[in-house]
Amino acid sequence: MDGQLRGLAHRPQYHLISQGAYAGWLSDPNGPIYANGRYHVFYQAATTAQMRAKPAPYHTPDPISWGHMSSTDLTHWVQHPMAITPAPPGSFEGDDVYSGAVVQDPSDGAVISFFACAAADARPPGRDNNAVCYARSIDANITNFTKYNGTHGSVVLYVPQAMGNASNELLPIAGSQFVFRNASGSNWLMMMGSMRRRDDSMAVLLFSSPDLAPTSQWRYLGPMFEDSGLAGGGWCPYFAPIDPTDPTTVMLAVNDFVGRGTLTAPHYRFTGGSPFSRLDGGLAHVSAAFVGKDPKKRSAIVMRWLIGAPSCAVIPGRRRTGGGGTPACDPKHVDDVQNAWGWVGVHSLPITVGVARGVVRNAAGLSYRVVEEVEGLRLPHTHRRTMAASAAVPDGRILWHPDVTGVALELRVNVTLPYSSAAKLGCHAGLVVRATADGAEQTTVALWASDDAELVINRTLASTAFNVSSPDMLQRLPLPSAMLGRTTELIVYVDHSVIEVFVGDVAIMSSRVYPSAANLADRVGTFLSPACPGLKMGALLSWSMADVYA
């Protein structure tokens, strides 16, 4: 199978992925918004031609634009032309359109983008060449943005090189801004990610402007959030209300992490009521929440960028041996895959984030559910309900389900993990997906009971060609101990190379797999370990899922 055909075999069919003439690189979701009857998602983008034009070796294409897709139902996505493209070489704003956010101007309905740009060296003294740039769209479909054209092109804010005093110096990061209006309507506020110099911990800074005019001055107000326990830059921060009864209860997202707390006027200092944890415990990076009034009045609809490069052997001949004889990836293999396939990057299924109400809760006190519209992708007459594995496979072997096959599936099964310490050690139950007829290639998704509960995705047999030694071949996510002794729904979405796993409404872990057998790796099985009193698995529910791009 050549690279292009293999790329099609691994290409998701019901997740958001760039299409047609604009297929290519897709990464950070930028400024998702509901406006004029449609959900719009902007994202970091480059076309296949742009990826192939950049000399090797490369890992991120250049130049970067804002791609654009929209939908009426969060599942069937229409590809639009690039929303914002780079300026010509030598311009003040630089030659890339990096991450940012959008906001709708209530005065005329225009959608304004505040995006990051690498400004030219005409910056003022004490300012960084990372900057915030400005573009505006006044058409109903948000397909035509016009950049501000001021003294420094579209630049409206040169990011200070450092904020605060020497003992608590904060380094702002352009590409991490989120804009919202204060409760009284008197000012607009911009959140900007930052990193504290002394310990590399995350922070979010707050700026204020009286209006959205590109000529307005953004005044620094101070830190909105600081957490010495979170390392790394504060990329792509945002907040979203999550409690319909209390608009001050919000989810704050910074980089890969989310926390629940309160955000109140007039100072808008985030007060955390829960520890921060990763939104997705698997192969996901930054996320973004839709702004605008959702017609179903859902408070927070969030999408994540799912990462995870294909195996070294997807393109023949791109393998090498690492130190000590350990197989390792050639750094150029991702570039080869992009050139052969013509696409890379995918967004998660949209989820709603709310306040956890159940007995079993994650550390952040948040609940996660896939939006109800995804149920509309279930194909008619494909629903299967199989026998319970706990009644059919007492010896721990895999129970294969010959009437449940496919590479685009929704799978649901109830699992009860034992509570007593004598019974729970090493007890586990779960699903086998993307398996070949002989079982040589397979990926398992299991709930484990030990001292606490745990979700494990085992990719060590995901591909006979994926012989790369990597610690994340065995993905592990701790779960609340309150899950022991209770029944939990394990939900698995399989979409070719994408696997998204939900443990009730408590946890998410995503993964990527690339079986060498491609679409022939379509078997599904269930299993549970033997000699585990109290370990139970219910009947498997399954649906084949539609191809939204067919």
Side-chain angles (χ1 to χ4, degrees), residues 393-480:
V393 194
D395 60 357
R397 290 181 299 179
I398 296 173
L399 173 63
W400 296 105
H401 302 286
D403 57 344
V404 180
T405 59
V407 296
L409 300 166
E410 177 187 345
L411 305 169
R412 292 175 177 257
V413 65
N414 286 335
V415 175
T416 304
L417 294 176
Y419 181 77
S420 67
S421 58
K424 70 186 181 183
L425 187 61
C427 293
H428 59 280
L431 299 169
V432 182
V433 297
R434 298 304 317 267
T436 53
D438 60 1
E441 293 186 322
Q442 59 178 265
T443 297
T444 61
V445 180
L447 294 178
W448 281 70
S450 53
D451 291 335
D452 291 308
E454 188 176 37
L455 171 64
V456 178
I457 299 179
N458 190 337
R459 302 189 299 162
T460 56
L461 297 178
S463 173
T464 55
F466 201 167
N467 62 350
V468 180
S469 177
S470 174
D472 64 5
M473 291 300 96
L474 194 66
Q475 297 175 253
R476 308 178 69 167
L477 178 64
L479 299 172

Side-chain angles (χ1 to χ4, degrees), residues 364-386:
L366 300 171
S367 66
Y368 312 125
R369 294 183 177 90
V370 173
V371 295
E372 60 192 66
E373 288 89 338
V374 173
E375 293 181 5
L377 300 181
R378 296 169 175 172
L379 293 176
H381 312 301
T382 62
H383 181 210
R384 298 286 185 271
R385 185 182 184 92
T386 71

